[in-house]
Each structure stands twice: as C-alpha cells, then as structure tokens.
Amino acid sequence: MGRKQLRILVTGGAGFIGSNFVFHMLKKHPDYHIICLDALTYAGNLSTLKDVMDNPQFKFIRRDIRDRNAIDAVFTEYHPDIVVNFAAESHVDRSIENPGIFLETNIIGTSVLMDASKKYGVSRFHQVSTDEVYGDLPLDRPDLLFKETTPLHTSSPYSASKASADLLVQAYHRTYGLPVTISRCSNNYGPYQFPEKLIPLMIINALNDKKLPVYGKGINVRDWLYVEDHCKAIDLILHKGKDGEIYNIGGHNEMRNIDIVKLILKKLNKPESLIEFVADRKGHDQRYAIDPEKIHTELDWLPETMFADGIEKTIDWYLSNEDWWQETTRTNYIFI
Ligand code: NAD
Ligand code: TDX
C-alpha cells in the first residue's frame, strides 16, 4: 500500500481500544481521513473523543453495524479504503448473562460490514479479534503458547462469537476474495478502558475504598499488553500485513489476577483487606499466553511499554481523569 490519503472506517471507535487507535492514527498519519462509526452502547463514550471532534481529518457517526441499510449508506457517502472493525460486545461476564446480543453484534454485525466492503470495494478489511478464540492453556504448562495455527477452542459465548466472526472473515476471503487480515491480541490495559474490566474496576473500587472482587482464587493468568502497543501493531498490519493472514499480538507478559490486584492496592496505598474472593466466573479460562513471533519476524513489531511503566501510566490516568470515569459510571449501567 503506497502513501495515499487513505480513508479509514474505524468501527467501535468510541470504545477503549478503538478510541486509542483513532488517537494513534490521527497523530501518526495526519493526512489520513478517519471515519469513526459507533453505536454508543453502554461501552461507548463520546466524551472520550472530545479532543479530536474538531479535527478536520476526523468524523464521528453514530451507527449500528447490525443495521444493513445504515452501513450501506455510510459506504456510499464515505467510500472507505480500509475498514478496521473494533465494534463488538466485549465483556465475558455479560456474554454469560445474555449471549444474544454478542451473536448479533459480533457475528451478524461483522458480516454486514463485510458485505458492504465487498459491494463497494475496499483494499483491506481488518478484523480485531482476540486470543480468547484459542480457549485456554493449563496453568502448569508454561511452555505452551497460542500460535496462529492453534485450533480454535472457545469457552464463553463472547469468545465463541469472536471465533465465529473470524471464521466468517476467512470465508469471505476464500469465497469472495475479500482482502482481509485478522489480529488476535492478548488482554489490553490503559486509558479509557470501561470500568467493568479487571484493571480499571480494581483501580476505581480501591480509590472508593470498596471491595475488590477477585474471582475464585485469583490464580488465573492473563497476558497483558499496553493498548498503544496493540494500536501500533494494527497500524503495521494495515500497511505491511499480507491479505488473508492472521497475526497474534502479545508481549510475553503473563500475570496472575491476584498479583495485579495487589500491585494496584500497593500503588494506591490501600490495604489488601479490601480484596474479597468471590464465586468463580462460569467456565473461567485458566491461562492465556500469546506467541507473537510471527508479527515480530514478519512485520518487525515489538511491544514498547513494559508492564511496570504501563500500569503506572494507567493508574495515573484514572487518578487524573475522575470526571471521565464518574461520568461513564453514572450514565452507563455497570457492575460496580
Ligand atoms: P469496548 O467494549 O470498550 O468498545 C466496544 C465499542 O463498540 C463501544 O464503543 C461500543 O459502543 C461499540 N459497539 C458495540 N456494539 C456496536 C454495534 N452494534 N455497532 C456499532 N458499534 C458498536 O471494547 P474494547 O475493549 O475496546 O475492544 C475492542 C475490540 O477489541 C473488540 O472487538 C474486542 O473483541 C477486541 N479485543 C479486546 C481486548 C481487550 O483486552 N479489551 C483484547 C483483544 C481483543
Ligand atoms: O471483577 C473481576 N474480578 C476478576 O477476578 C473481573 C471483572 C475480572 N476478574 C478476572 C477474570 C479474568 O481472569 O480477571 C481476569 C480479566 O478479566 P476481564 O477484565 O473481564 O478480561 P478477560 O475476561 O480476560 O477478557 C479480556 O481480554 C480479552 C477482554 O474483556 C476481552 O474483550 C478480550 O477479548
């Protein structure tokens, strides 16, 4: 893909990773046009985008990726060269309570976007997927990692819906020749993460001297990546990735939930007595661990933010942006 003033349609850009991606792209490629499409569900927050709303290269449109007519009209009006699909229902606990909306948005919504991409023509459809499509790894086998060739083996309705979308993306590539790429990233953390996810929930509860609910014994392992590193990896895939390929993204940073919770309490100078062990998540995945060798060797990507720095920056961000999380927890239904 040569240098060109690309028009990129970013779906789910009012959410956590999508908004960080919008910021990254406007900064890194100031000549690109970014069209941000988001339905503003409970997880989407327009105030997140306030600093870029007046940027002439940026346009926000409130649309639902399940709405075929609306999506068709968006493609007619904006002619995107590239689509990056972040839009999704993303919280595992919600998928266990109410799977239906996950199937609608994550599977049907993705197919609606790909139908429009096929009809109007795009040079790339990029699907933002997750390491959860591989299922989990045992805690006592640190030698095992998820590779791009690891079979899909999902646990929750959320991960099953994301894996279904991945299969559809591959089907559109093989059947219709749609130029696609898929990235599967490990757990992200950083600014603007909705406070139902582990790290922001624990920071905010600790600040409010509320109990910190740790599922089971807290020994489940996640592989954490600073959100900016994820955004840089997607940018690279758009420009240098090969059609039809899948790229795992992760930084070899495995941690137990309980250790993250204790670290947050320590940084905030709060007592460990705030920790409350609660009933385990149904079907709780034990361990995720990404092998990022392919994106490293083929696209020269490496994570830049070490966890010690990233968690510090993240805690500082929540400390200085209380307005954001107060507003988002007031206006949107969440579990805290
Ligand atoms: P998020 O829940 O913070 O944001 C999702 C955004 O999508 C919200 O702004 C929401 O309003 C929007 N949205 C939801 N349904 C929509 C619809 N029908 N039409 C249009 N917009 C809709 O999620 P996130 O954590 O930023 O995750 C973004 C993507 O990255 C998801 O596809 C997720 O599966 C994937 N992912 C997330 C992580 C992680 O750790 N958070 C890791 C790997 C992959
Ligand atoms: O209150 C909690 N207590 C707790 O112990 C919450 C919310 C979570 N947990 C545990 C469950 C997990 O083992 O912490 C771990 C992380 O939980 P989440 O933040 O809900 O993330 P996870 O289930 O790992 O999924 C995340 O990573 C992959 C994102 O939400 C997904 O969108 C992404 O695909």
Side-chain angles (χ1 to χ4, degrees), residues 11 124 142 186 259 297:
T11 69
R124 179 68 63 73
S186 57
D259 297 326
T297 51

Side-chain angles (χ1 to χ4, degrees), residues 90 130 132 158 187 196 198 201 213 215 222 257 281 284:
S90 69
T130 167
E132 297 200 18
Y158 163 71
N187 283 58
E196 65 187 348
L198 180 77
L201 179 73
Y215 299 162
R222 297 293 182 265
N257 296 336
R281 175 183 276 173
H284 200 169

Side-chain angles (χ1 to χ4, degrees), residues 248-265:
N248 279 354
I249 309 172
H252 288 298
N253 183 57
E254 291 178 52
M255 293 185 71
R256 298 190 315 169
N257 296 336
I258 187 69
D259 297 326
I260 296 213
V261 171
K262 285 183 178 169
L263 181 72
I264 291 171
L265 287 169

Side-chain angles (χ1 to χ4, degrees), residues 39-168:
L40 299 180
T41 68
Y42 79 94
N45 192 338
L46 211 46
S47 75
T48 300
L49 297 168
K50 66 178 176 352
D51 290 347
V52 295
M53 278 298 185
D54 293 334
N55 184 327
Q57 301 299 105
F58 176 79
K59 173 86 187 165
F60 176 80
I61 47 177
R62 185 174 190 176
R63 302 281 191 285
D64 192 315
I65 61 166
R66 296 170 297 169
D67 185 340
R68 199 170 280 280
N69 292 336
I71 295 301
D72 234 60
V74 166
F75 275 71
T76 313
E77 186 172 354
Y78 296 100
H79 311 289
D81 299 299
I82 292 177
V83 178
V84 187
N85 183 27
F86 290 93
E89 288 294 331
S90 69
H91 193 39
V92 173
D93 292 327
R94 286 179 188 265
S95 83
I96 294 167
E97 293 304 315
N98 180 19
I101 184 73
F102 285 71
L103 312 192
E104 286 179 26
T105 290
N106 299 0
I107 307 174
I108 305 290
T110 300
S111 77
V112 168
L113 283 172
M114 286 196 295
D115 284 338
S117 301
K118 175 162 82 69
K119 183 169 164 190
Y120 295 95
V122 294
S123 59
R124 179 68 63 73
F125 179 91
H126 181 75
Q127 175 70 0
V128 181
S129 185
T130 167
D131 60 359
E132 297 200 18
V133 298
Y134 299 120
D136 63 353
L137 296 164
L139 291 172
D140 60 358
R141 287 292 307 274
D143 55 312
L144 296 180
L145 302 170
F146 296 135
K147 297 181 186 306
E148 288 80 357
T149 49
T150 300
L152 304 187
H153 186 76
T154 56
S155 312
S156 69
Y158 163 71
S159 56
S161 70
K162 293 294 289 185
S164 306
D166 284 12
L167 292 174
L168 268 178

